[in-house]
Amino acid sequence: MSVIVDGSNGLIFNDASTQTTAATGFGFKNRIINGDMRIDQRNAGANTTPSNGSYTLDRWRVQASQSSKFAVQQNSGSVTPPSGFKNYLGVLSASAYSVLTNDYFGINQFVEAYNMADFDWGSATAKAVTLSFWVRSSLTGQFGGAIRTGDGSNYSYPFVYTINAANTWEQKAITIPGPTSGTWGTGNAVGLDVWFSLGTGSTYTGTASTWAASNYVNATGSVSVVGTSGATWYVTGVQLEKGSTATSFDYRDYGNELRMCQRYCVVYGDSGQYTHLGIGTAYNATALNITVGVPVPMRTGPALSTVTSGGNWLNAYVGASGTTSNPTPQLGEAGVSCYRIYVPGAGSGWTAGQSFWCQVITSAKLILIAEL
Amino acid sequence: MYKLAITPPATEPNGVIKESSIFIPFIADNTDYQKYLEWVAEGNTPEPADE
């Protein structure tokens, strides 16, 4: 292969393709996790009307000051995703709601501070970043969002993008100058927050394209998706990278992307079969200790939640004889890649030390949550 | 809304159960625990743990 280095056009390859800007580095170029919306551990593609602060597709959180104003679903509406993608996050507005002064509706992703420390934000050497994404809506016009601290320290950069044609995928790129001020998180705390507004009141709306010491999540004059009943807003290919140029989407293998999501949430359960959870031993006549492995060290000790099927989620077997139950699991000690999970009231008549093989029953779930 | 929970062999609460279904550990980095602390700071008190 021949390569021509041209002062005006950059690199020109022998198939006539060009590279006009410098590469921005390799390895974790995209700081957004699940930017192509492939992973949906919690809902497996099901439609949801999520509450404020809950998660939809992995890593993507719903912000809603009022309940039931929109639904979220992977591949909602079953439109063809943009070339190169198989999935998208879809929002469907439930009503024509007029946002109030203090209202906020949006989809956001918190980026862990470990994963953006090289941005040097809050210092004189702060680096610019570029946010790019594919978006499609039944509405047209100027839409808004923001990058912000996300930890309550109130420093934000509202941005705008324009959707020119209804129901058509369009790719957008927004370059954001590195903030030399603001208090940005460190370690495993929130580093920054990427927020797409679906409708925001004036309290949280500010002037676009400038950093402000305010908690803005939207830019002045932007469309409110929740303001139109039946309006759609779809997004995929979300990428946040260092530098002033949007480069090609950072495709990662499925297993790696899933593990990146599982640092924040692990779901045990399957709609079609039992899921083996781990080996348990009776703590006393009614309670079990179960050793539950996780595929990657989680961000922090997780909260535990369950989804039941037929009123139960657990089946603890001795030989071929199982006992189904609906205990509230409690977190014991953490190992490097496993936890002791204590389940009181999982059975009766057991002997301390008795061994069990434990499964999550079909269509039920055990969810370990260590989100930001 | 919140109820203290003891995970044996501990004898003191090491977490809370929210709305009878979600166990939240007393771990500083856990954001659900941080929300619980905000709830307590607002003057609320959790239910005692089961004996």
Side-chain angles (χ1 to χ4, degrees):
Chain A
M1 173 180 283
S2 63
V3 178
I4 299 170
V5 180
D6 184 286
S8 299
N9 297 313
L11 301 177
I12 305 172
F13 297 91
N14 60 354
D15 63 355
S17 64
T18 63
Q19 179 181 324
T20 57
T21 59
T24 55
F26 299 93
F28 201 45
K29 178 176 73 172
N30 186 6
R31 310 310 168 94
I32 296 293
I33 297 173
N34 200 26
D36 58 1
M37 313 299 177
R38 273 181 294 176
I39 316 292
D40 187 14
Q41 290 188 87
R42 293 172 179 83
N43 301 302
N47 188 51
T48 62
T49 301
S51 57
N52 184 40
S54 63
Y55 280 80
T56 59
L57 280 64
D58 277 61
R59 302 298 299 120
W60 292 102
R61 193 170 192 251
V62 159
Q63 301 282 357
S65 56
Q66 309 281 345
S67 62
S68 305
K69 299 307 178 192
F70 61 91
V72 177
Q73 184 177 20
Q74 185 186 47
N75 299 340
S76 169
S78 301
V79 303
T80 302
S83 177
F85 297 95
K86 301 298 182 188
N87 302 104
Y88 57 89
L89 182 154
V91 168
L92 175 64
S93 173
S95 61
Y97 178 72
S98 297
V99 297
L100 305 175
T101 301
N102 293 323
D103 272 341
Y104 53 84
F105 301 94
I107 300 290
N108 76 306
Q109 182 169 139
F110 292 122
V111 175
E112 189 173 345
Y114 276 134
N115 294 339
M116 49 79 72
D118 58 318
F119 291 178
D120 283 345
W121 283 13
S123 77
T125 56
K127 308 295 191 298
V129 297
T130 297
L131 177 69
S132 58
F133 52 94
W134 286 89
V135 66
R136 168 184 171 134
S137 177
S138 59
L139 307 174
T140 60
Q142 176 190 296
F143 290 69
I147 302 274
R148 62 172 192 148
T149 48
D151 63 354
S153 59
N154 294 345
Y155 208 71
S156 53
Y157 184 95
F159 62 77
V160 296
Y161 60 94
T162 300
I163 294 182
N164 299 296
N167 301 317
T168 305
W169 287 105
E170 298 178 12
Q171 189 176 27
K172 308 299 175 186
I174 299 146
T175 294
I176 295 142
T180 55
S181 299
T183 302
W184 301 89
T186 59
N188 67 348
V190 173
L192 63 84
D193 184 15
V194 177
W195 183 305
F196 294 101
S197 173
L198 301 172
T200 308
S202 59
T203 299
Y204 303 109
T205 298
T207 304
S209 305
T210 185
W211 285 102
S214 301
N215 185 23
Y216 295 144
V217 296
N218 189 29
T220 305
S222 297
V223 167
S224 170
V225 176
V226 297
T228 300
S229 181
T232 59
W233 180 87
Y234 302 157
V235 69
T236 193
V238 184
Q239 177 156 286
L240 181 71
E241 60 190 303
K242 194 160 61 175
S244 300
T245 304
T247 65
S248 61
F249 186 77
D250 186 17
Y251 291 98
R252 294 188 283 252
D253 67 276
Y254 181 83
N256 191 41
E257 196 79 38
L258 176 59
R259 282 190 294 276
M260 293 171 76
C261 294
Q262 289 173 326
R263 176 168 169 77
Y264 307 94
C265 177
V266 175
V267 176
Y268 275 96
D270 190 296
S271 61
Q273 58 190 345
Y274 274 36
T275 301
H276 184 65
L277 190 57
I279 299 299
T281 54
Y283 179 80
N284 56 29
T286 59
L288 287 175
N289 281 318
I290 309 173
T291 298
V292 176
V294 288
V296 61
M298 300 192 76
R299 187 187 67 82
T300 187
L304 306 176
S305 177
T306 59
V307 174
T308 61
S309 176
N312 295 310
W313 67 271
L314 176 67
N315 199 337
Y317 280 93
V318 177
S321 177
T323 302
T324 57
S325 61
N326 181 28
T328 299
Q330 299 178 202
L331 189 70
E333 298 76 22
V336 173
S337 58
C338 63
Y339 293 99
R340 176 174 74 92
I341 293 182
Y342 176 76
V343 282
S348 61
W350 293 339
T351 302
Q354 189 176 1
S355 181
F356 297 79
W357 47 293
C358 302
Q359 307 215 330
V360 177
I361 66 175
T362 303
S363 297
K365 296 173 185 172
L366 172 66
I367 306 172
L368 287 66
I369 308 159
E371 296 283 3
L372 285 160
Chain B
M1 186 177 187
Y2 290 99
K3 180 178 182 178
L4 292 168
I6 299 170
T7 303
T11 55
E12 296 295 324
N14 69 323
V16 286
I17 294 172
K18 180 182 178 184
E19 295 167 353
S20 304
S21 62
I22 302 172
F23 176 84
I24 299 168
F26 286 169
I27 296 175
D29 294 337
N30 186 293
T31 48
D32 289 304
Y33 176 55
Q34 292 164 5
K35 289 173 189 166
Y36 164 72
L37 292 179
E38 292 173 6
W39 180 81
V40 171
E42 291 169 357
N44 299 297
T45 304
E47 296 177 31
D50 292 333
E51 293 298 325

